[in-house]
Amino acid sequence: MHTRRTHRRTRIGGTRIRATFLAAALLATACSAGGASTSAGPAAQAAGATEPATASLAPLPKATPGELSPYYEQKLGWRDCGVPGFQCATMKAPLDYAKPAEGDVRLAVARKKATGPGKRLGSLLVNPGGPGGSAIGYLQQYAGIGYPEKVRAQYDMVAVDPRGVARSEPIECLDGREMDAYTRTDVTPDDQDETDELVDAFKEFAEGCGADSPKLLRHVSTVEAARDMDVLRAVLGDDRLTYVGASYGTLLGATYAGLFPDRAGRLVLDGAMDPSLPARRLNLEQTAGFETAFQSFAKDCVRRADCPLGDKNATPTQVGRNLKAFFDDLDAKPIPTGDADARKLTESLATTGVIAAMYDEGAWQQLRKSLTSATKENDGAGLLALSDSYYEREADGGYSNLMFANAAVNCLDLPAAFSSPDEVRDALPDFEKASPVFGEGLAWASLNCTYWPVQASGEPHRIEAAGATPIVVVGTTRDPATPYRWAEALADQLSSGRLLTYEGDGHTAYGRGSTCIDSAIDTYLLRGTAPEDGKRCS
């Protein structure tokens, strides 16, 4: 899956699902590309390696290179965004930091100025994750109006869509009809013909991305996006970066701290990723994370009268078997949805719909209703709506560029998880053990970067950010997309990491209703006082 993040913002039926997503196994990954280096040699971890990296991301020189001065000294021309209270601007960054004379990339920036009263503390940059999520959309739809009033009073709320994302020269790969076909592709192939169809779908997707954005595709790494954030920090007039990043946004923020530890200010990394893991290990551990979330959903479901997957005596294992049997039925015979484009609910679309609801326990009621409609009434509309929201499919049949940017960043950041379908087959027992419900599909979906037109430039590595001020790393114990162990690992790697734990369900913790979590983060942002390492909240 992708680590996609919406924070009570993406509308699904009558519910808003928060997600930071790793879409259909385009897993958000760690990297060390774009001119940065690690303390060990390249390829410290081969694709498929199972042990975490020991190399550490090396900081960049403190002095800004002269050839980058025009970027750091540029002035932004702020203008009306068309959204009340917000201003927008365009910032230039070098396409290739190693060769800045060879061209620029134009990045969209938005802000909402501090509302006061009280002392202005500077700019607070936010990123919702993905990779591929629009930070500007997140700012305008949630952070700029939904963050605590006292935070918005003292900070200019700011967002930049990372290179290749949304308003910042977006990567494009397939049109709407092609994406419809792609999302329906069977990711649990039963024979060689179905395996070939899946491989062809991945190849078509990759070829589309390569044909549309051949130059940009080589320069959308997490390190390059982190370097862009430093340019923005300087342009905004801040000595240090203040930042809240969720899901993949934690990798972006941690990478910034690793590259610029002396410029890292108050950083909140919510729903943390572990940059030391190779792609296959990341995918496997995330698969286990979705199983943990599903077990929690199953326990809740059977206690409710409208649970379509078992009665009060059913165990989570039995609930999982019932759901898997439903998926198998769809694999054999998709069901109608009433969709205007005559799409039927396939196994792959239904699986995506269920996974979408794992991101927020607030969506569980809608999931129960959608599963009831599908299993009892042969109506797949509810699960299709969940899937469409996950993929950001619009009512007119078009798609945002989320999935395209997601693949572009992930496949550049780390070597592919698998080199062939045979390797996936060999790994199936491990993935199915991690999740009897989702393991098979997530294993096959991990094959996507195998056919990418651009060679990966990153590798797994640790991030220490020696010398940085305290960095708050937030982990949720039953997080589906970024398992809690990742937050523990990142907090341990960072020399100044402070682990803040939310004991609960769903993806990420800030703004989910825990006064304990929100108070700790607000205090850190407003006063600079980090919570005690190991603090736990519920």
Side-chain angles (χ1 to χ4, degrees):
M1 304 259 77
H2 53 195
T3 63
R4 164 193 179 178
R5 162 116 173 158
T6 60
H7 198 317
R8 300 180 186 164
R9 295 162 293 296
T10 297
R11 172 77 53 189
I12 299 180
T15 292
R16 288 183 183 266
I17 286 189
R18 60 187 266 122
T20 335
F21 61 113
L22 304 155
L26 304 182
L27 212 152
T29 58
C31 71
S32 60
S37 62
T38 55
S39 58
Q45 292 287 321
T50 57
E51 294 302 317
T54 56
S56 296
L57 184 67
L60 291 169
K62 291 184 179 181
T64 300
E67 62 268 27
L68 296 182
S69 294
Y71 297 102
Y72 276 80
E73 295 170 0
Q74 66 185 293
K75 303 296 182 182
L76 298 183
W78 294 103
R79 61 188 183 277
D80 181 70
C81 278
V83 179
F86 293 88
Q87 297 174 310
C88 290
T90 301
M91 184 185 84
K92 291 183 180 179
L95 179 65
D96 184 347
Y97 275 91
K99 301 175 182 178
E102 294 193 358
D104 300 335
V105 60
R106 300 172 70 84
L107 304 176
V109 182
R111 74 177 179 185
K112 185 177 184 183
K113 300 192 75 173
T115 58
K119 178 183 177 182
R120 179 183 174 278
L121 295 175
S123 304
L124 173 56
L125 188 66
V126 296
N127 183 279
S134 172
I136 291 178
Y138 173 74
L139 176 73
Q140 294 177 343
Q141 297 169 28
Y142 176 72
I145 56 177
Y147 267 33
E149 184 177 357
K150 54 190 175 183
V151 172
R152 292 183 286 115
Q154 294 187 251
Y155 282 103
D156 290 347
M157 301 294 295
V158 180
V160 55
D161 278 349
R163 48 179 64 205
V165 174
R167 298 164 176 85
S168 294
E169 298 191 23
I171 298 287
E172 299 291 348
C173 304
L174 303 176
D175 64 25
R177 289 189 177 276
E178 290 168 334
M179 271 299 289
D180 280 348
Y182 181 76
T183 60
R184 291 195 301 265
T185 303
D186 188 351
V187 290
T188 57
D190 299 319
D191 53 35
Q192 190 58 49
D193 287 344
E194 290 188 352
T195 301
D196 291 343
E197 289 176 5
L198 179 59
V199 168
D200 288 344
F202 285 141
K203 287 181 177 179
E204 180 182 354
F205 186 98
E207 289 168 0
C209 296
D212 181 80
S213 311
K215 290 185 178 180
L216 183 59
L217 213 60
R218 290 173 169 80
H219 296 288
V220 291
S221 70
T222 298
V223 163
E224 288 163 313
R227 296 192 70 170
D228 295 340
M229 293 200 307
D230 194 56
V231 174
L232 179 59
R233 172 204 58 78
V235 170
L236 293 172
D238 294 326
D239 293 331
R240 291 175 178 264
L241 180 74
T242 304
Y243 175 83
V244 176
S247 196
Y248 164 78
T250 67
L251 178 62
L252 192 56
T255 300
Y256 181 90
L259 296 174
F260 307 102
D262 59 313
R263 301 173 193 169
R266 302 170 188 179
L267 306 185
V268 177
L269 309 179
D270 185 12
M273 296 191 62
D274 180 358
S276 73
L277 300 180
R280 189 185 304 185
R281 175 84 170 266
L282 277 167
N283 287 8
L284 183 61
E285 292 194 7
Q286 191 189 52
T287 297
F290 277 104
E291 182 65 22
T292 296
F294 177 75
Q295 293 274 321
S296 188
F297 163 75
K299 292 175 183 177
D300 179 81
C301 186
V302 298
R303 291 196 291 263
R304 301 180 184 274
D306 63 345
C307 181
L309 299 174
D311 59 24
K312 62 182 180 180
N313 297 314
T315 66
T317 298
Q318 291 170 326
V319 171
R321 288 173 183 160
N322 291 338
L323 180 60
K324 191 67 167 64
F326 167 62
F327 289 158
D328 290 342
D329 289 343
L330 290 176
D331 190 27
K333 186 178 180 181
I335 63 175
T337 64
D339 177 62
D341 295 314
R343 291 178 299 154
K344 291 188 175 183
L345 184 70
T346 63
E347 177 190 16
S348 57
L349 290 171
T351 302
T352 301
V354 173
I355 282 176
M358 293 299 101
Y359 284 85
D360 189 339
E361 68 272 26
W364 290 358
Q365 179 180 7
Q366 183 179 352
L367 177 59
R368 295 194 305 272
K369 180 179 179 181
S370 297
L371 284 168
T372 297
S373 296
T375 58
K376 309 296 185 184
E377 302 165 16
N378 205 44
D379 179 3
L383 286 172
L384 182 64
L386 285 164
S387 178
D388 283 351
S389 178
Y390 186 84
Y391 285 120
E392 292 195 358
R393 185 185 192 270
E394 307 297 339
D396 64 0
Y399 288 75
S400 77
N401 94 307
L402 167 70
M403 301 304 300
F404 311 139
N406 186 274
V409 176
N410 289 329
C411 297
L412 191 61
D413 273 359
L414 282 184
F418 297 106
S419 64
S420 69
D422 286 341
E423 283 195 0
V424 178
R425 292 189 186 97
D426 290 342
L428 281 176
D430 289 338
F431 277 78
E432 290 177 319
K433 180 180 180 181
S435 176
V437 178
F438 306 117
E440 182 183 7
L442 293 181
W444 280 107
S446 304
L447 191 64
N448 66 317
C449 288
T450 304
Y451 309 101
W452 202 244
V454 176
Q455 184 176 359
S457 57
E459 62 186 21
H461 56 268
R462 294 171 57 83
I463 299 179
E464 297 176 0
T469 58
I471 297 172
V472 177
V473 179
V474 189
T476 298
T477 55
R478 293 186 294 278
D479 192 312
T482 51
Y484 178 67
R485 193 206 67 77
W486 292 358
E488 293 180 303
L490 181 59
D492 183 64
Q493 289 170 41
L494 291 167
S495 62
S496 60
R498 302 282 184 91
L499 179 63
L500 175 62
T501 297
Y502 174 55
E503 296 177 346
D505 296 294
H507 186 36
T508 72
Y510 188 41
R512 290 186 60 84
S514 169
T515 301
C516 175
I517 290 288
D518 293 352
S519 177
I521 293 175
D522 292 345
T523 298
Y524 173 64
L525 291 174
L526 295 171
R527 301 178 189 171
T529 304
E532 179 183 354
D533 186 34
K535 180 179 178 64
R536 302 183 75 89
C537 298
S538 59

